[in-house]
Amino acid sequence: MKTHHIGIIMNGVTGRMGANQHLARSIMAIREQGGVRLSPAETIMPEPLLVGRNEAKLQALSSAHAGLPYTTDLQQALANADYPLYFDAQTTPRRYDAVREAIAAGKHIYCEKPTATTSEEGMELHHMAEKAGIKHGVVQDKLWLPGLLKLKYLIDTGFFGRIFAVRGEFGYWVFTGENQPAQRPSWNYRKDEGGGIILDMFCHWRYVVDNLFGNVTGLSAMGAIHLPDRVDEQGQRYTCDAEDAAYGTFATDEGVICHFNSSWCVRVRRDDLLTLQVDGTHGSAVAGLREVYIQHDSMTPKPVWNPDIPSPIDYYGSWSLTPTNQAYDNAFKAQWELFLRHLVCDEPFKWNLREGAKGVQLAELGYASWDKRAWVDVPAL
Amino acid sequence: MKTHHIGIIMNGVTGRMGANQHLARSIMAIREQGGVRLSPAETIMPEPLLVGRNEAKLQALSSAHAGLPYTTDLQQALANADYPLYFDAQTTPRRYDAVREAIAAGKHIYCEKPTATTSEEGMELHHMAEKAGIKHGVVQDKLWLPGLLKLKYLIDTGFFGRIFAVRGEFGYWVFTGENQPAQRPSWNYRKDEGGGIILDMFCHWRYVVDNLFGNVTGLSAMGAIHLPDRVDEQGQRYTCDAEDAAYGTFATDEGVICHFNSSWCVRVRRDDLLTLQVDGTHGSAVAGLREVYIQHDSMTPKPVWNPDIPSPIDYYGSWSLTPTNQAYDNAFKAQWELFLRHLVCDEPFKWNLREGAKGVQLAELGYASWDKRAWVDVPAL
Amino acid sequence: MKTHHIGIIMNGVTGRMGANQHLARSIMAIREQGGVRLSPAETIMPEPLLVGRNEAKLQALSSAHAGLPYTTDLQQALANADYPLYFDAQTTPRRYDAVREAIAAGKHIYCEKPTATTSEEGMELHHMAEKAGIKHGVVQDKLWLPGLLKLKYLIDTGFFGRIFAVRGEFGYWVFTGENQPAQRPSWNYRKDEGGGIILDMFCHWRYVVDNLFGNVTGLSAMGAIHLPDRVDEQGQRYTCDAEDAAYGTFATDEGVICHFNSSWCVRVRRDDLLTLQVDGTHGSAVAGLREVYIQHDSMTPKPVWNPDIPSPIDYYGSWSLTPTNQAYDNAFKAQWELFLRHLVCDEPFKWNLREGAKGVQLAELGYASWDKRAWVDVPAL
Amino acid sequence: MKTHHIGIIMNGVTGRMGANQHLARSIMAIREQGGVRLSPAETIMPEPLLVGRNEAKLQALSSAHAGLPYTTDLQQALANADYPLYFDAQTTPRRYDAVREAIAAGKHIYCEKPTATTSEEGMELHHMAEKAGIKHGVVQDKLWLPGLLKLKYLIDTGFFGRIFAVRGEFGYWVFTGENQPAQRPSWNYRKDEGGGIILDMFCHWRYVVDNLFGNVTGLSAMGAIHLPDRVDEQGQRYTCDAEDAAYGTFATDEGVICHFNSSWCVRVRRDDLLTLQVDGTHGSAVAGLREVYIQHDSMTPKPVWNPDIPSPIDYYGSWSLTPTNQAYDNAFKAQWELFLRHLVCDEPFKWNLREGAKGVQLAELGYASWDKRAWVDVPAL
């Protein structure tokens, strides 16, 4: 039995996302299952070193996870040759500098999105990494959601015929904090703290569209601050200056129109918190986080407009739920495993820093389109 | 008992819309119920004269309706003083000239939309009508759909708090005619025959938005020909050069963002063929043609993003169906009754030729926005 | 990390209510969660001293709770400066004297309701406490029931419009003990042992109404002994001389009519053991212990009286269950935490001995109204 | 075959109640079934003469019912010996005079409630009728509701053991007319036009209680005008000066406490528009208009108060629906048949003018109790 122990500097795992999705549900889950099994005789075992600024939080996290090593000294960690991989889940404004340092220290890179606050900086990281000859990857978790994997299956098996239109609906009602606590942090609604749903979600829409429906070539976007004031974690009313909703239309080089509504102030009457309706010549699908409903041409009813009577067609019942024919791992963990295999076995892994920079680019261009009130093209990076 | 007999020249009723909605379900239905009852002692009785170009069709229509009088001679009809009202449901390109003639003949006007092929001509009709001092109205039937009346009730009673966003989804799958007959005529997909979903539907969206969510001040629109060829009524394949889908965002002077998708190539997974989701600070609603689902703030769940498990929230079950507390008439008939009351009793009727021209304007500007790839403002008419 | 250790003399915790709700589910639960967290660096830790008359029971209770200290000597406990707070859950007739002593000993006070057997004595305790400058509170647990907290949310967010009527239904079938054991103690049905549902429940209705629907200004009440004899814990038949049902109507200074039926001899066909139906101009709600059903104006059907056919309206289905958007603590524990914060941080706490006396007053006036067969006013205390 | 043709002067049948319940569903239904069958060889056939003040309405009613004779001349009708029975369904203020005249003319009497506007006048009619030796009856339709007949069955068969308490809930939401039409006439909310729910409903509660639960001996009642202004049939806002809700407690000579809430501004979360919960030593029942749910002692659960968990008992599921073992006629028709048998065959009929006066008395005393803010006794009539 050969085991590849891969030391990972995990920076920023004291945050909610880092602690839950990356440490607990990904790295610890991989450790608990005995590593990433490459063959009956060979596995990869991640060996995390927790890094952060708050020692108390690190200590608590460490004891929650069987005494994992931790440090507040990033430089020392980067100097430690036992840890060839640097992972970053800090808040966005801190990422660029830390990743630069890690590349300079010769570490491989895996990090959260947005990779930087501008696509220029994002591409700079990409070029540095390429020059340094290290391996790099960026979290693009939604691609491994069970619902999107099922959708990918439908695309790959030709279910849709030619796809021509996609309707994305993302979001839910985030309470204002006035009469009951908000379920998202107040910085989401503050521009100077990195808030705004365009910045948050367009990074995701970029890789979702690029990977499933063709490369984005142009977009028209508009943001809105629908709820102009909210109450923060300390019970203080504040003015929101970052958009809480975005209406975006993306065109792709495969001729698909993708219209996505993203909102933190929408009440959900649809199959899931994120739904993608994909229409093709031979069939359509509505994918949620876990389930996908389909309507093939052969199942498509022919409706008649007659408001004088209740519709004789059940517009939900005429769709079919696709089966769950396999167990799906947590989406973050699934991508972690692929990246670790890429690292150790050199398996292909396309979701690198360039792809990360593309996500930042789409957010940038989204703001530009909103500002110009016009379509903008998406230049190659 | 006083009865106001109102002679109506009904031009273009041999078409599907004119025959079904205007003649059978509106005018004949009013006649069968004994007219429009103004008081126990006073009613209005419409007296239709069918006009068209195809005598055989007119004859058939006449005998289907108890021998109503008919003629192919429009000029003679317009010269007949027994018929003070001219109604037009011809194909769009013929409307402008016919309505001009009718105004010149001193007739009151009631007509289908689009009132003309350009807003300039639409406004010309309006000015002529005003100068002539006659009464005029334009069909805006969707306002009297039961679902939209229920939505209006919610708006009027303050259910929503402040409304800030509307998502409109209109459309259904129109078969291409290749393997099974199409359910819409082929001219819909031919530019030079007046086809195109922007021209067809933006006239509706104009009055729906103006009447419910504030006057439209600007829009960004994009059309697409998703299915580039179809098979016509004669079984001939033809190339579609009119858009079969439109993605439009409308801004209003009340600060509401209205995003409407209109498509003849979308499979329907929603409550109805047309749905309007309206989000407000205190509650949301999804209106279909007949029914409206609501979710008040007090019913709004607080979702958590966890794709690892099935959602613990039923995103449909957390909405309530509003009750049907009154009987609703056919939408066309309801507007006919209001116009007849306007004619006889001078009751207010705001849906006149100017409003009709506004609908044409929005379609024009939709094409302009698509062409410029930019937002366009909506000037006052 | 700063910890405020608060010694609490818990007198009367050998009774069912004291042992379960106050000791196990409140104080011990607070201890197990690490105290009341004021900030990441500061907590309050309650340190109970069990006091009672039956040493064996105390010993058993102590060993059930990790060896908590206990004593049968109240005087000695009151003399102990390590215990600045006195809590009383004894039977009602013993409370007045014990609380007096505790105030005289300089202790802060937290106690069960009724605080005394007359409002005069209740107010005496209040004045003594105020004069002594100590902090004091009275258990008003129903305010922290999840159902009533949800109801409060609806009131605070303006769901009801103007509230004008409340129907309270409390109670369930208490078996007579004849053929199966009764589930309430026999003293509840004996006047001289403090029995009677008016005394028991009107204390609750006072603070529920005062806090949610306006201050009670007058009432009409009638009691009844519906089941005149029962069988006690020893299997002996006895005559009930305390009322087992009460019919009370309360008027408030906000113009709300609150009619409450309280009964130990009613079979339950409603949503819960306690339900409050609240009717307002814009909506209604029926709150139970944990859940609340609502019907907004927009959901309100228009019924027609036609006994010849089954009702076309589902009178339950037309209501919506409000969501549970937060975790709710045990109601007693929730109030304990607030009182401990009041004690340590001087946060406001309005449910003091004066409020406790008001509850006793309403019970007194309930008996007076029954006796006089007339409405009685509620004077200020 | 012997047929007793009974001529009936039906006065006031142009009103909604008279036309629907008495003429169409009772008298005409009896005629259509071939009369009241006394034996295979003997029937009673009612022969109505329609009387009213509006000839047009009478004519319309007559033609809707196969040309029944009608007249606007009451005196002439009363002088006609072919019509030995006078029926009155006029508005309340007109009833006393008309019934007096009819008695003076020697007619038998059957009439709607309230029989008069004061119990004194009501008793006067009774004494006149007795003195004249004619037969007389008053509509008490609720007694023949299927639900109340099933309840009567439970009482008669000893299901309840000893009954001690009844909770009546009557009412529903009557829209104000502001945003949607009200479903009751505006005079209901105007004192000087005979409005007020006490006057309307206490007449019913009197005979329901007297017949099912013992003679009413005292009551405490309170009315309220919960919605102080409404919009009338002409769209005019008006001030309501008649109570729209009443809270009444009735005591009976059988020791039963009957608490009835009656309201036109309550949203319905219960089994039916009228429900009577009857509690007895051996079982309880909740009767609606048509159905009755029961819970026998043997089905009674023993609830535990534990708000920390959802109730383990389904408080609805633990009741059983009683079966419908017979077909039930319209309640009005059922009583008509009994009165006709009384008239022709002298079968007993206890619901006479004295009973009608008792209903008026209870309403009078309801107002008196509200005014005095005290219980009032019910003297014998």
Side-chain angles (χ1 to χ4, degrees), chain B residues 127-179:
Chain B
H127 292 311
M128 277 185 66
E130 286 293 298
K131 202 166 164 189
I134 54 108
K135 285 175 172 171
H136 46 103
V138 175
V139 176
Q140 306 204 331
D141 55 288
K142 308 243 175 304
L143 293 177
W144 288 272
L145 288 174
L148 267 70
L149 289 172
K150 289 175 181 175
L151 185 58
K152 184 75 163 54
Y153 176 85
L154 293 172
I155 294 170
D156 291 347
T157 56
F159 169 81
F160 294 106
R162 179 175 56 82
I163 292 174
F164 48 78
V166 178
R167 281 160 175 72
E169 280 285 346
F170 165 80
Y172 43 88
W173 189 260
V174 179
F175 287 88
T176 59
E178 204 169 358
N179 297 300

Side-chain angles (χ1 to χ4, degrees), chain B residues 37-104:
Chain B
R37 179 75 41 109
L38 300 174
S39 76
E42 194 175 2
T43 58
I44 307 173
M45 181 60 72
E47 306 286 355
L49 167 61
L50 311 183
V51 179
R53 291 174 293 154
N54 182 324
E55 184 149 12
K57 280 191 184 176
L58 284 170
Q59 189 170 19
L61 202 61
S62 166
S63 40
H65 292 295
L68 290 177
Y70 64 88
T71 178
T72 56
D73 187 339
L74 177 60
Q75 270 63 37
Q76 192 188 32
L78 289 175
N80 187 338
D82 291 348
Y83 294 92
L85 173 59
Y86 174 76
F87 169 72
D88 192 294
Q90 297 185 98
T91 56
T92 308
R94 307 188 146 269
R95 189 162 300 126
Y96 170 75
D97 286 336
V99 170
R100 273 180 68 104
E101 272 187 80
I103 296 172

Side-chain angles (χ1 to χ4, degrees), chain C residues 85-321:
Chain C
L85 174 59
Y86 174 76
F87 169 72
D88 192 294
Q90 296 185 97
T91 56
T92 307
R94 306 188 147 267
R95 189 162 298 127
Y96 170 75
D97 287 336
V99 170
R100 275 179 67 105
E101 269 186 82
I103 296 171
K107 303 298 180 191
H108 301 294
I109 302 293
Y110 187 57
C111 68
E112 260 292 350
K113 46 74 31 188
T115 55
T117 49
T118 67
S119 61
E120 197 185 330
E121 287 186 351
M123 280 307 290
E124 214 180 289
L125 293 181
H126 175 69
H127 293 311
M128 277 186 66
E130 286 292 297
K131 201 167 165 189
I134 54 111
K135 285 175 171 169
H136 46 103
V138 176
V139 176
Q140 307 204 331
D141 56 287
K142 308 247 176 299
L143 293 177
W144 288 272
L145 288 174
L148 268 68
L149 289 172
K150 289 174 180 174
L151 185 57
K152 184 78 163 54
Y153 176 85
L154 294 172
I155 294 171
D156 291 347
T157 56
F159 169 81
F160 294 105
R162 179 175 56 83
I163 292 173
F164 49 78
V166 178
R167 281 159 174 72
E169 279 285 347
F170 166 81
Y172 43 88
W173 188 261
V174 179
F175 287 87
T176 59
E178 204 168 359
N179 296 302
Q180 54 176 298
Q183 71 267 45
R184 293 188 69 91
S186 58
W187 67 260
N188 281 167
Y189 305 95
R190 287 170 164 142
K191 197 73 192 165
D192 61 5
E193 297 183 24
I197 202 168
I198 289 178
L199 181 56
D200 191 38
M201 295 311 298
F202 277 33
C203 294
H204 290 297
W205 303 153
R206 180 65 187 265
Y207 67 76
V208 167
V209 174
D210 277 3
N211 279 273
L212 296 177
F213 310 116
N215 299 309
V216 181
T217 56
L219 75 154
S220 171
M222 183 197 208
I225 300 174
H226 286 317
L227 299 186
D229 58 62
R230 292 176 167 268
V231 173
D232 69 16
E233 290 78 359
Q234 286 71 44
Q236 301 301 315
R237 181 172 299 273
Y238 65 100
T239 298
C240 304
D241 60 358
E243 77 284 354
D244 53 16
Y247 304 86
T249 313
F250 311 123
T252 81
D253 60 4
E254 296 181 8
V256 183
I257 305 297
C258 304
H259 182 81
F260 280 64
N261 294 321
S262 313
S263 178
W264 289 320
C265 32
V266 64
R267 293 185 182 86
V268 182
R269 184 168 178 80
R270 49 187 137 91
D271 292 307
D272 215 329
L273 299 181
L274 166 64
T275 54
L276 297 182
Q277 169 155 355
V278 180
D279 287 300
T281 49
H282 297 173
S284 297
V286 174
L289 303 187
R290 297 173 56 86
E291 300 295 353
V292 176
Y293 288 88
I294 57 167
Q295 185 175 80
H296 190 262
D297 170 75
S298 54
M299 300 153 65
T300 305
K302 188 178 269 182
V304 174
W305 180 276
N306 183 359
D308 290 352
I309 55 162
S311 169
I313 298 171
D314 175 349
Y315 297 118
Y316 293 106
S318 50
W319 294 69
S320 255
L321 188 63

Side-chain angles (χ1 to χ4, degrees), chain B residues 16 127 241 369 381:
Chain B
R16 193 175 53 95
H127 292 311
D241 62 356
S369 169
L381 281 189

